[in-house]
Amino acid sequence: MMQFAVIGDPIAHSLSPLLHQEIYRQLHIDASFEKIQLNLDSLASFMTQNELDGFNVTVPYKQSVIPFLDELDESAQTIGAVNCVHHGKGYNTDWIGFLKAMDMNNIVLEGMDCIILGAGGAARAVAYALIQAGVKSISVQNRTKEKGNQLLNWINSVFQNNERPEQFDVIINCTPLGMWPDTESIPDIPINKDQVLADIVYNPLETNWLISGKQKGASIVGGLDMFIFQGMSSLDIWFDKKISEKIELEPIKKVLKSELC
Ligand code: ATR
């Protein structure tokens, strides 16, 4: 039996096992998927001693696993964060998950003026995705100005960024604002009917921010699709082929939604 896992701290609420177990069930794959709670002191021994066939990495270890890896995929190297490991090589599938989610929801990013809320690892993966998608401009809004400026400086160093526009076509929330149990908190940015609002938060499925956007006539994309596609993209890396194309999405969504608040 093949063995996979997700590591993080905290990890109790991770939906990755449910996602992958449902995929194994659909595709008749004989494999297990565990949650592994690690503290920082046990990260080194886990990284050097585990015999897993592959694993995902979540908060707060997406950067701290890097020194233990033999090699990084180009996107993981550029983003500076790893969420998927296969035989000593680190990958980033968060940005692919974001692009696939936008595509699935018929959102065209090319030529758009975008703003990212937040400046952490998720924001950086989304910035990388926006650059790959050929957007026109990327702005950043972050609680801690200095961190926001650092992300913007990085974007500007790898991307021909245009003037900060008055209006944004696409707003992507890459902060935990609105995430259960703190569902009342909401990003501080004006919204209008012509915009696309995308959230990386998937619990609740629709944050209050997305609900208020929908009420104003904006298009909205919740975080669940991005979560599912980062997992499917990890699966393709571990199995060294595009097996995710065979997966039926609706049963997976149904299983995951049944666990959400
Ligand atoms: P991740 O890897 O998921 O991106 P992270 O690196 O901790 O997580 O980044 C979280 C982002 O959400 C940060 O940009 C953080 O802002 P700061 O740079 O000021 O810390 C932002 N964030 C977290 N809690 C927030 C809150 N309550 N209000 C606004 N922004 C918040």
Side-chain angles (χ1 to χ4, degrees), residues 59 62 118-123 142-144 147 174-177 200:
V59 178
K62 290 186 183 186
N142 192 49
R143 177 177 61 181
T144 310
K147 252 181 95 182
C174 297
T175 75
L177 286 168
I200 63 157

Side-chain angles (χ1 to χ4, degrees), residues 19-20 22-29 104 228-229 231-236 239 241-253:
L19 169 66
H20 287 276
E22 171 60 22
I23 293 172
Y24 303 154
R25 194 193 61 76
Q26 262 190 33
L27 301 183
H28 307 288
I29 294 171
M104 275 292 291
I228 291 172
F229 287 119
M232 291 185 10
S233 185
S234 300
L235 189 83
D236 285 337
F239 288 85
K241 49 191 163 193
K242 293 223 162 296
I243 64 172
S244 65
E245 285 170 4
K246 298 182 191 149
I247 299 167
E248 272 188 71
L249 274 179
E250 282 315 312
I252 292 179
K253 285 193 178 181

Side-chain angles (χ1 to χ4, degrees), residues 186-205:
I186 195 159
D188 180 21
I189 187 160
I191 42 183
N192 66 55
K193 67 176 176 46
D194 300 318
Q195 291 171 321
V196 174
L197 312 188
D199 210 326
I200 63 157
V201 174
Y202 59 80
N203 194 9
L205 272 175

Side-chain angles (χ1 to χ4, degrees), residues 62-63 66 72 75-82 92 124 154:
K62 290 186 183 186
Q63 286 162 327
I66 292 177
L72 290 185
S75 61
Q77 175 86 48
T78 309
I79 294 165
V82 162
N92 189 300
R124 211 168 143 118
W154 171 72

